[in-house]
Amino acid sequence: MSHELEEGLSLNLDFSKIAKVAANIHEDKDNVIPVAVQDIDTKEVILIAYTNRQAMELTFKTRTLTLWSTSRNVLWEKGKTSGESFEVLEARVNCEQNSLVYFVRPRRGAICHTKNKAGQPRNCYYRAINLDDGVTLTNLDP
């Protein structure tokens, strides 16, 4: 099943994501900061997501990538259903202490919930933006 947002070749960015998250904050558990997830071996950025204090503390305790799902408002242990889990080997904070980078190693496979035509999971940044027109995409892992 193909989804236009995930498989389409037109750029459709959600610039309102942070505003939507801020508007939905009802409890302290919903306060989030962005976290970049980078493969420690390849240096590839494989995901940008969000974490809250609970997800961050669980990540540090278990060394398994756990995030906060801003769309479902729940803890999200990456790979719990897909099996594509990640060991967290290092965490860094930026100068303003408002974002993190987790350096991870895949225990198996890639990270994205989408799959290529061969049925293999891929990393989330699998489409390149055409810089000449700024609106069309090229799928690098169809």
Side-chain angles (χ1 to χ4, degrees):
M1 180 168 141
S2 178
H3 295 39
E4 180 59 30
L5 182 65
E6 297 165 338
E7 299 298 331
L9 299 180
S10 296
L11 190 63
N12 187 19
L13 298 172
D14 184 1
F15 285 107
S16 65
K17 177 71 172 184
I18 298 295
K20 289 176 192 172
V21 170
N24 276 334
I25 292 177
H26 302 292
E27 299 176 29
D28 186 49
K29 70 176 174 48
D30 295 332
N31 291 323
V32 296
I33 60 172
V35 57
V37 180
Q38 184 174 358
D39 187 305
I40 200 162
D41 298 315
T42 68
K43 308 300 184 226
E44 181 179 12
V45 175
I46 51 179
L47 176 69
I48 303 291
Y50 298 93
T51 190
N52 63 7
R53 185 176 306 278
Q54 182 183 11
M56 182 188 72
E57 289 173 353
L58 190 57
T59 294
F60 294 170
K61 180 180 178 183
T62 64
R63 302 288 199 264
T64 295
L65 180 61
T66 305
L67 303 161
W68 182 256
S69 170
T70 56
S71 57
R72 293 173 286 150
N73 290 320
V74 295
L75 280 175
W76 166 32
E77 181 183 321
K78 183 64 188 109
K80 190 161 190 151
T81 50
S82 69
E84 313 304 332
S85 67
F86 291 79
E87 178 183 15
V88 177
L89 301 167
E90 184 179 338
R92 294 186 190 177
V93 63
N94 73 327
C95 58
E96 295 179 350
Q97 295 202 35
N98 60 9
S99 67
L100 299 171
V101 176
Y102 289 162
F103 294 91
V104 302
R105 181 169 288 131
R107 290 190 173 112
R108 172 190 105 164
I111 197 166
C112 196
H113 68 281
T114 67
K115 302 205 179 337
N116 61 22
K117 289 180 182 175
Q120 298 298 312
R122 51 191 168 194
N123 290 336
C124 289
Y125 293 95
Y126 55 89
R127 290 175 290 178
I129 300 170
N130 179 332
L131 296 179
D132 291 330
D133 68 19
V135 295
T136 58
L137 305 174
T138 301
N139 190 329
L140 304 173
D141 189 9

